[in-house]
Every structure is written in C-alpha cells, then in structure tokens.
Amino acid sequence: MDYLEGLNDEQRQAVLATDGPVSVLAGAGSGKTRVLTMRIYHLIRLGVPGSKILAVTFTNKAAREMRERVRALLGEGAELPFIATFHGLGRELLERYGAAIGVSRFFSVYDRDDSERVIGTALKALDVSTKELSPRAVLSRISRAKSDGLSAQEFYEKLGRSSFGARIAAEAWLRYEKALAAEKALDFDDLIAKPMRLLEDFPDVRAAAQERWRYMHIDEYQDTSAQQGRLAGMLAAKHGNLFVVGDIDQTIYTWRGATIENLLAFDRTYPEAQTIVLERNYRSTKNLVDAANAVIEKNRNRKEKRATTDNEAGEPIVIHLASNAEDEARWIAQKIRAFLRAGIPPEEIAILYRTNFQSRALEEGLLYAGVPYKLLGTRFFDRKEVKDVLAWIRLAIDPTREADKVRAASAPPRGIGKVTLAKLAAGERDKLRDGERAKVETFERVVSELAASAEQMVPSEFVKLVIEKSGLRRALVEEGTAEDRERFENIEELASVAARYDGISGREGIALFLAESALAGDQDELDRTEQKSVALMTVHAAKGLEFAVVFVAGMEGDLFPHGGMGDSNDRDEEEERRLFYVAMTRAKERLFLTLARTRKIYGVDSYNEPSEFLADLDRSLTVYDESYGYEEDVIEI
C-alpha cells in the first residue's frame, strides 16, 4: 500500500476506515479531497468495482476535479465510480427510474429564469400583479415547500387558505406543475424532491439503488439540506457504508436550506460511526491559520477543532482603510498590478466581497488599472445566445416542447410569430395562411433533420450542426454587428463544452450534455476563461477555491457581518463569522482586508464603523497600510 505513504496519520485512518458510517471533520486546507479520492482508490484496490462506489460533492467543478483525480490514480480505461453533485445524483436516479412517477427519460431542467417566467404567467392568469406578489417570492415559497417534502396539492390543501400570499402561491404552483409536465421539464428542487419520492414510494427502486452503490461518499456534508441528508441515509441504509466529510466551521448556506445538524448530529444519527478529525492545514501560512483560528473559535455552535500547520509564518495580514469605495478599489487594483509585475499569475489572485453591489466600484478600479479580471455571477449558460442554441438542441431531442419551439422559432427570427405557434399548439394548422404555413414547414423540416442527426452524432459535432442549420451562424456572423460576432464566439464555446461528452454518441451523449449544462454553477466560469484573469466574486461563490493572494473588500460593520441578517440572533451571527472564516481560508500566502470610511449605499453616503471581525485578529498577525495617510489608531477595534 505504498500509495498511503504520503498521508498523515489521520488521513490514513480515514482512508482505511472502509466499513460502516464514518464522519471526517476536515478543516480548511487539510487535504479532504485527497482523502476522498484515495479512499475511493483504496476500495477499488481492495476489489470493490468502481460501479459500486458513489461520491457526491458540492459543485460541478469539484466533481470534475475529483473525477480527474480518480481517473489519474486508476489509469485510462478503468471503471470509474459515479461522481456528481446532489442534483446530478438526482438527475441520474430520475433518468434511470423516473418512469415510475411519470418523469420522461429525456427531461429538461428549468433554470431560475425559466421558472420565474412560468410563475409570472401563472400570476397573470390569476389576475395578480407582479407588484403585489413577485414571481421570485412565489418561487422561493414553492422551493421551501418542496424542501419540506410537500407536493403542490399537499401545499394547496394544508396552507392554501392560511393567507392571501399562500393561496396565490398554491394556485400558481398548481399551474406551474402543469406547465412543467407539458414541457417534460423539472426544476432544481425537483431533482432532490422527486428522487426522494421515488425511493420512499417504490421499494424495488430503493433496493436497486442501494445495491448499485454499496459505498457512498459525501463531500461538504455541512452544506447538505435535511432532505439531502435523508436521501443519503436512504441510499446507504442497506450496506451502512456512509462516509461523510465536512467542516462545521464552513457552514454558510443555511439561508438556502442547508442544515448544520446533519454533521453536528451524525454520531447520534449513526451511533456506531467513527469520527476522524483532520486538523493539519497544508494550504496557508502559519499567520493565516492562527488568525483564522482566533476568528472561528468565537463561535459556540461547533465541534472542537483547531487547525495547525508546519508551513512558514509568512507575511502579516494587511488591513487598509480607504476614504471611500472608489479609493478602496483603486488601492486594491494597484496592489494587484504590483503582484502581477512581481510574477504572481492573475488566476492566483481573488477579490472577495459580501454583497453583489460592491462589484461595481471594484470592476471600475480594475478596468482603470488595466487588470484582467473575471466576474463570477454572470453564468455562461444564462446568456441569451447560449440559451437559444440549447433550446434548438432540446427541440431536436423532443420536438413536442412548446417553450423551446417558441424560442427556437425566433432564434434567429424567421417570420413565425407567437400567434402562429399558438394556432399550431391548439391543433389549428388549417387556419394558417399560405405564407405562415410555408415558414412553419421550413422550420419543422430543419428540426426534423436535426432530430435525425442527433441519433448518431457526438455532442460537439451536433452543437456545430445546430448552429449552422438553425441559421444562427449566418445571422450573427454574416449579417450581424461586431457585438453579434462576440455572441457567436460564445455559442462556438458551447461546442467546446459539449466535447467533454463526446465519449457517448447519439441522443444519450447529447442528453447528458444538456443535463450537465442545466446544472452548471458560478465556479464553472473559472474553467471557461481562456485569458488568465483575477477572480472577482462573493465570498459564498468562493467556497472550495484557493488563491495565493486574497483581498476581502468591505470589512465594515453592517456590511460584513451583514446588517440584513434578520433579528441578529446568535445563529445568524455565527453564520456570518463562518463566512468570514471561509474568506480568510481561501488565501494561501497573502491576505488583505480593506474597508472604506464612507460608502454609498442606495444612493446615500454612510459613515462606516470597522467590522467587529477585525477585533478578533491578534495585533501581532496584522499590519496597517498607510498609503492614504491614515494612522493605525484611526481604526478603533
């Protein structure tokens, strides 16, 4: 077992703990991904088939990286475990077994925009103004109900009469479900809720899934929801081999359903479980590790764990007070320019912030300084031109999808209006005028030709064919503006993304590409940038990433910790502290904390006190930058 030689004692203990439930409390930078991949490799070396192993992680990016690490250990051609996010696992269960609850084999997944559009249509049909009740608010209510295991009908019967908002949400949800069914579509919440129903209501499906995956691994267990915890427990119930890795100190997603209790109570849920603690940090300098310890130890709702490291002390944390947000951005940009001149690659530098509105000033500062950057938050798959191509692809897989038909018919415009399409949907083709009928027949012929081609082609070549036959290439390149040609580059990039799935030809490979595209997250944008760039993102989006140099902007009271945390109860305050801990532990070598004396919020200049988190930092580990003439004692912490 020479492959275990590079592991420390605790990591080796975790890899060798192959039977029964195991929880690994893994601090930031403690090598948890290495432990997970080595444990999978160890199981396979012991004779467990790769197909019997399941690994679930938090983002598509993390899943891809884990998959590549396992492949590198096993060698090309080896049978790989199933490695995906929870939503990817849900998709797999529904594709294989979903027919039992009426889910189409080739279902599509609605993104947030698609869902809000359909909810908006439902509200309009109910004669409710979106000013009275926004589609986003209704969708959030539906999402919470799905997380609680309620169906639309159950929600309607239990809560539909409790208030005006609940009644409208219930009725809108029933219409929303009909629209999803008509389009053979699901939303993100369905990818967890429906597999749960499958496993609960169909013992044969549950038994098949349990036998398929005898060993289950879950990364970032602290960020799982109650429903995801139940799903994991159900899959692992027969063989009992549930291996979870997490860090309570990095629980930052309770606002979207994650529950810290899954990890806190693991040893009570599974009394026979082993608990292993990974405390050695391999990522950050000693100064950074000690500072992060001092911050997170103020929290009470955690399990005892103190990070240690053999790394060098490194540079102190720099705290900089600027006069305003614009000065803060300029100072950060100039610091980054100095790092770039010193040879630090731009992709090793990140600027993190608590709320999205902060990005405007930061972007302007980087643009003025000529620093290349990538703003996470504008997803590649949310761009109009990309969604147009995806609509064409889905329509080729299933020509009955009305929403995709409406979108594809106008991308590019071909003289087919919504009225014409409505007549077709209503079975009134005979009411079309000759000119309308000719345009429709031409459009349908293209869709039919693409559907035939989809049977044999690999995904990347099929994407290229769609771009050509749909007329999008001609419209954007030959007849379009300079801006249109930039849009064309985005849809060309879609073919590069599809090439990841070229190992599976035909409809299966194309459907897999569509499914993964629907589940893409913000971090996937980092892998899609050809130009090496500084990363600009919220702290939430930075979870799981690491950089040589990290700037955390906006270290002010009411901003970080955020002032909008409800009634500021202990749990909310602890989550904000955990979020700051996550921000600090993204840094490997250098950490800069910046704040502005004044910041314009909602058009009003406000005077800012320093964040209370700055008071948690040992003065011996920090230094105050005086570039703008402020003395250290100006920041009273």
Side-chain angles (χ1 to χ4, degrees):
M1 296 185 182
D2 55 346
Y3 54 88
L4 299 177
E5 290 181 1
L7 304 176
N8 65 36
D9 290 344
E10 293 77 19
Q11 290 174 332
R12 191 178 299 111
Q13 182 185 355
V15 169
L16 295 176
T18 55
D19 297 317
V22 181
S23 70
V24 178
L25 305 181
S30 61
K32 67 180 179 64
T33 304
R34 187 180 187 196
V35 167
L36 279 163
T37 54
M38 276 298 184
R39 187 177 192 272
I40 291 169
Y41 180 64
H42 177 63
L43 285 169
I44 292 173
R45 288 287 295 264
L46 292 178
V48 179
S51 60
K52 295 294 183 181
I53 300 171
L54 170 66
V56 182
T57 189
F58 198 65
T59 65
N60 284 333
K61 178 179 171 65
R64 280 199 305 273
E65 290 175 353
M66 189 182 297
R67 206 175 293 125
E68 290 307 312
R69 288 197 192 194
V70 173
R71 182 181 283 114
L73 287 168
L74 294 176
E76 290 296 328
E79 182 181 49
L80 289 177
F82 184 79
I83 302 174
T85 63
F86 260 106
H87 289 95
L89 169 62
R91 188 207 73 226
E92 172 70 13
L93 289 168
L94 291 171
E95 286 182 349
R96 182 165 295 218
Y97 308 112
I101 55 173
V103 175
S104 167
R105 172 70 179 84
F106 294 109
F107 61 84
S108 60
V109 180
Y110 269 23
D111 62 19
R112 189 84 181 181
D113 288 343
D114 293 329
S115 295
E116 287 186 14
R117 172 180 52 79
V118 176
I119 293 291
T121 301
L123 291 175
K124 186 177 180 180
L126 294 168
D127 199 26
V128 176
S129 167
T130 54
K131 292 181 180 179
E132 291 180 81
L133 201 58
S134 72
R136 176 167 296 187
V138 173
L139 192 60
S140 293
R141 192 157 193 167
I142 292 171
S143 180
R144 287 195 301 272
K146 286 186 178 182
S147 295
D148 291 337
L150 293 176
S151 68
Q153 190 61 41
E154 289 169 338
F155 181 82
Y156 182 83
E157 292 170 359
K158 290 182 178 181
L159 300 170
R161 296 178 181 84
S162 62
S163 68
F164 169 77
R167 179 177 65 81
I168 296 302
E171 294 184 4
W173 188 359
L174 291 171
R175 291 171 182 264
Y176 177 55
E177 287 298 312
K178 288 181 181 178
L180 287 172
E183 291 297 319
K184 299 176 186 174
L186 305 176
D187 64 18
F188 283 104
D189 296 307
D190 289 330
L191 295 179
I192 305 299
K194 288 187 181 295
M196 282 293 297
R197 180 185 162 195
L198 254 179
L199 297 180
E200 288 171 343
D201 295 351
F202 295 87
D204 56 332
V205 172
R206 183 168 65 249
Q210 289 170 343
E211 194 56 38
R212 178 182 176 186
W213 296 307
R214 296 185 181 184
Y215 292 86
M216 185 167 186
H217 305 73
I218 303 180
D219 190 14
E220 306 286 6
Y221 195 62
Q222 78 283 349
D223 283 325
T224 53
S225 67
Q227 203 168 40
Q228 289 167 341
R230 290 197 301 273
L231 178 61
M234 208 176 300
L235 287 173
K238 180 177 181 180
H239 298 285
N241 299 318
L242 178 60
F243 183 90
V244 305
V245 181
D247 183 4
I248 289 164
D249 296 333
Q250 296 187 66
T251 304
I252 60 173
Y253 289 109
T254 61
W255 51 276
R256 69 180 189 193
T259 173
I260 197 171
E261 290 303 316
N262 281 348
L263 188 54
L264 270 176
F266 190 83
D267 52 358
R268 295 197 299 275
T269 306
Y270 304 96
E272 70 278 26
Q274 299 182 60
T275 299
I276 301 164
V277 183
L278 305 183
E279 294 181 304
R280 192 178 305 177
N281 184 300
Y282 293 93
R283 175 188 300 161
S284 306
T285 65
K286 189 174 187 305
N287 282 344
L288 293 175
V289 170
D290 289 346
N293 279 335
V295 167
I296 201 60
E297 285 173 355
K298 296 291 181 68
N299 273 2
R300 296 190 298 274
N301 195 26
R302 62 190 295 265
K303 291 198 172 186
E304 187 59 35
K305 172 174 59 65
R306 182 174 177 82
T308 63
T309 187
D310 296 329
N311 293 340
E312 62 182 15
E315 297 292 328
I317 296 169
V318 176
I319 299 176
H320 174 72
L321 172 65
S323 59
N324 53 46
E326 288 68 31
D327 283 344
E328 177 189 44
R330 283 192 288 268
W331 184 86
I332 291 173
Q334 291 306 317
K335 284 289 183 184
I336 290 175
R337 285 190 64 181
F339 280 121
L340 296 179
R341 287 195 297 269
I344 303 294
E347 66 272 20
E348 280 290 338
I349 303 173
I351 307 174
L352 311 182
Y353 42 87
R354 177 61 181 84
T355 58
N356 280 305
F357 83 85
Q358 293 173 253
S359 67
R360 181 200 58 79
L362 293 166
E363 283 193 84
E364 289 179 359
L366 295 174
L367 285 168
Y368 184 80
V371 174
Y373 71 91
K374 177 71 176 180
L375 176 67
L376 269 71
T378 303
R379 291 175 62 246
F380 174 77
F381 291 101
D382 283 341
R383 292 179 170 91
K384 178 187 179 301
E385 61 273 16
V386 172
K387 295 182 82 168
D388 288 342
V389 176
L390 292 175
W392 271 98
I393 296 172
R394 287 193 297 266
L395 193 60
I397 296 294
D398 184 353
T400 66
R401 300 182 196 272
E402 289 300 322
D404 289 326
K405 189 179 294 182
V406 170
R407 183 164 199 134
S410 59
R414 59 192 71 234
I416 301 175
K418 291 183 179 179
V419 174
T420 300
L421 292 170
K423 290 178 183 177
L424 291 175
E428 299 174 344
R429 183 180 288 263
D430 58 321
K431 294 184 179 180
L432 296 178
R433 296 190 298 270
D434 290 344
E436 291 174 329
R437 185 178 295 107
K439 291 173 183 176
V440 167
E441 289 173 352
T442 300
F443 171 65
E444 290 175 337
R445 186 165 56 250
V446 174
V447 173
S448 178
E449 290 170 358
L450 288 172
S453 299
E455 298 294 340
Q456 303 295 330
M457 299 183 76
V458 297
S460 64
E461 292 303 316
F462 184 67
V463 171
K464 294 175 185 176
L465 182 67
V466 166
I467 293 169
E468 185 65 37
K469 292 190 75 68
S470 66
L472 282 166
R473 188 195 65 79
R474 182 181 65 254
L476 295 176
V477 176
E478 296 176 13
E479 302 168 5
T481 63
E483 187 176 345
D484 287 333
R485 283 188 284 276
E486 288 183 14
R487 293 194 181 101
F488 179 71
E489 291 175 2
N490 286 332
I491 62 175
E492 277 191 313
E493 173 66 12
L494 195 59
S496 300
V497 176
R500 294 174 183 163
Y501 309 92
D502 280 355
I504 306 174
S505 62
R507 289 163 62 91
E508 293 289 332
I510 296 167
L512 181 60
F513 157 64
L514 285 171
E516 292 293 334
S517 300
L519 299 180
D522 287 346
Q523 289 188 4
D524 295 296
E525 301 303 302
L526 290 175
D527 295 335
R528 195 166 288 114
T529 306
E530 290 185 12
Q531 180 192 35
K532 299 302 182 181
S533 308
V534 171
L536 189 60
M537 70 189 94
T538 65
V539 182
H540 282 101
K543 176 72 180 299
L545 303 177
E546 59 183 51
F547 304 89
V549 181
V550 171
F551 294 82
V552 184
M555 292 301 304
E556 300 140 29
D558 287 338
L559 185 53
F560 202 1
H562 198 266
M565 293 297 293
D567 59 1
S568 296
N569 59 38
D570 288 342
R571 182 163 183 169
D572 289 335
E573 290 175 1
E574 291 207 349
E575 178 136 344
E576 287 293 295
R577 187 175 295 279
R578 291 193 293 265
L579 191 60
F580 182 47
Y581 174 78
V582 166
M584 296 178 72
T585 54
R586 299 312 92 201
K588 294 185 287 187
E589 299 170 13
R590 301 297 306 275
L591 176 63
F592 296 82
L593 306 176
T594 66
L595 61 158
R597 186 187 297 276
T598 63
R599 188 179 299 273
K600 194 178 292 292
I601 300 177
Y602 300 119
V604 178
D605 284 322
S606 60
Y607 180 84
N608 305 308
E609 295 294 329
S611 167
E612 63 191 65
F613 295 148
L614 297 178
D616 298 332
L617 303 176
D618 191 311
R619 288 295 184 97
S620 68
L621 303 177
T622 61
V623 64
Y624 290 83
D625 184 279
E626 300 176 7
S627 297
Y628 279 81
Y630 297 115
E631 299 297 330
E632 178 176 333
D633 61 5
V634 170
I635 304 180
E636 297 176 359
I637 58 176

